[in-house]
Amino acid sequence: ALDAPGEWYLDRDGWLYYRPRPGEDMPKAEVIAPTLEQFLPFKGNSHDPKEWVNHISFEGLNFRFGELNLPEAGLPPAQAAMNANGTVILLDGAQNIRFKRCAVEHVGATPFWFRQACRDCRVEETRMFDLGMAGVRIGEMNIVPEAERTGGITIDNCIIQSGGRITPHAAAVWIGQNAANAITHCDIGEYFYTSLSVGWR
């Protein structure tokens, strides 16, 4: 199938074959092969608000070129790709965390997952592009005690495009088992399955 310029193939022995585009000079080309899946984990104690990660802002940062580590047996389709947990920026036990004018691009995993006990966090004016999975996940599949439940997450004025490239059954934005979130003024497009999935039950 390696029959058009710009296509590549990685064989089982580790050899990478690439068919250059017109004008590409391979001895001078920059080639990026990502190995890292998660860039930034927040690990507050979900059971104790006194031990949450609090009041941190990130502005103007670019998170680029991340891997998605799939199981050797592959990944069977599941609703909203919730059987795949790869995440670039994973938050547990976090409050008042803010990302503004950032970018998460060319990654195999989901850019943001506000998973356990996250409150009053924001992602603003941020571009999520060329993604293997979802754009943003908020919450968990199962109902957890209210004190540990995520909520009050705002995703505002963001671009979430060209996702689900590895798991085409992923939702651009997934919200499960929590409330009081706002997804506002976002440009969501080029997903194969769902733009916004809310509720889960």
Side-chain angles (χ1 to χ4, degrees):
L2 192 62
D3 58 3
E7 292 183 345
W8 58 273
Y9 172 72
L10 181 65
D11 75 11
R12 293 182 186 274
D13 295 325
W15 285 95
L16 177 66
Y17 297 89
Y18 175 68
R19 190 157 184 178
R21 294 183 176 97
E24 281 185 317
D25 184 356
M26 293 314 297
K28 296 179 182 176
E30 179 184 35
V31 178
I32 298 170
T35 58
L36 190 64
E37 180 177 274
Q38 188 172 86
F39 294 5
L40 190 59
F42 291 77
K43 296 289 182 182
N45 183 348
S46 300
H47 305 293
D48 186 355
K50 294 177 184 175
E51 296 180 19
W52 286 3
V53 180
N54 265 292
H55 299 285
I56 301 175
S57 292
F58 299 87
E59 189 163 345
L61 296 179
N62 295 324
F63 301 90
R64 291 189 176 128
F65 306 112
E67 173 68 286
L68 176 62
N69 298 310
L70 293 172
E72 190 172 319
L75 190 66
Q79 186 177 355
M82 290 305 294
N83 59 335
N85 294 325
T87 311
V88 176
I89 300 168
L90 177 64
L91 298 98
D92 289 326
Q95 187 168 24
N96 292 309
I97 307 298
R98 183 178 179 225
F99 292 86
K100 186 171 184 178
R101 287 195 288 276
C102 293
V104 185
E105 301 171 319
H106 317 300
V107 295
T110 295
F112 294 95
W113 189 359
F114 298 90
R115 188 171 61 178
Q116 301 170 354
C118 294
R119 306 278 169 79
D120 306 316
C121 298
R122 302 179 67 86
V123 180
E124 303 170 282
E125 300 173 39
T126 291
R127 183 175 192 243
M128 293 161 254
F129 176 77
D130 188 25
L131 314 171
M133 293 176 47
V136 178
R137 287 183 178 175
I138 300 171
E140 303 177 71
M141 288 189 292
N142 298 315
I143 296 174
V144 296
E146 191 167 348
E148 301 169 25
R149 200 172 301 164
T150 288
I153 308 300
T154 298
I155 312 298
D156 179 61
N157 200 20
C158 293
I159 295 171
I160 308 171
Q161 291 188 344
S162 296
R165 293 313 188 246
I166 296 174
T167 57
H169 46 295
V173 178
W174 181 90
I175 302 171
Q177 310 294 5
N178 64 93
N181 304 293
I183 314 299
T184 52
H185 308 107
C186 292
D187 183 346
I188 299 173
E190 295 184 35
Y191 268 79
F192 303 110
Y193 178 53
T194 298
S195 292
L196 183 59
S197 175
V198 181
W200 201 245
R201 267 178 216 227

